Amino acid sequence: MNYAFLYELRGYLQVAHHVPGRIRIKFDPAIIAAPQAEVFSKWWQEKKSQGNGLSKVVVTHRFNMASRSLVLEYDRKRVDFKLLDELFNSNDLNRVTSLINQLAEDIGLDN
């Protein structure tokens, strides 16, 4: 699957804190108007409703519009902390694409 929309949304996101199993992401409110945000929202809802890898990996999520943050608690046994951390910090499109595909495969997003 093409996860380019995830790469495009990174410009609106900044990792505020990340430890294995928990990541807090600050977001720019302009993300709401980004066309990729709608694509992401539909994708997220679809994946969560399918009961596939995403629903098994994301333990909890808390969205706080006032603080412009999203906290994801994830199964650290299934998600490689280093890969996820590099995903948010790499500026190399090819590397980010590779990381997204690796994480998608690791957690079974395409199943």
Side-chain angles (χ1 to χ4, degrees):
M1 174 164 187
N2 183 351
Y3 296 105
F5 65 93
L6 293 175
Y7 179 79
E8 294 169 12
L9 287 173
R10 283 184 354 141
Y12 298 95
L13 308 172
Q14 179 181 7
V15 174
H17 184 73
H18 189 198
V19 295
R22 183 177 181 277
I23 187 167
R24 183 164 54 99
I25 302 167
K26 300 287 276 183
F27 60 88
D28 181 334
I31 196 171
I32 295 168
Q36 304 89 344
E38 185 175 343
V39 174
F40 172 78
S41 179
K42 288 178 182 177
W43 172 83
W44 177 271
Q45 293 305 316
E46 176 186 319
K47 294 299 180 186
K48 290 289 283 182
S49 68
Q50 288 175 351
N52 66 3
L54 186 63
S55 63
K56 295 173 185 169
V57 171
V58 177
V59 178
T60 62
H61 65 281
R62 293 182 307 278
F63 176 74
N64 185 324
M65 187 62 170
S67 68
R68 299 179 309 128
S69 68
L70 171 67
V71 176
L72 292 174
E73 292 184 23
Y74 60 88
D75 181 347
R76 61 192 227 176
K77 293 176 184 169
R78 297 192 64 204
V79 177
D80 185 324
F81 167 79
K82 291 179 183 178
L83 287 181
L84 188 58
D85 201 57
E86 186 179 355
L87 173 65
F88 279 96
N89 291 301
S90 177
N91 292 318
D92 179 344
L93 174 59
N94 290 328
R95 180 63 181 148
V96 169
T97 300
S98 175
L99 290 166
I100 289 171
N101 289 327
Q102 181 63 52
L103 285 167
E105 182 179 318
D106 289 351
I107 64 177
L109 280 184
D110 293 327
N111 296 337

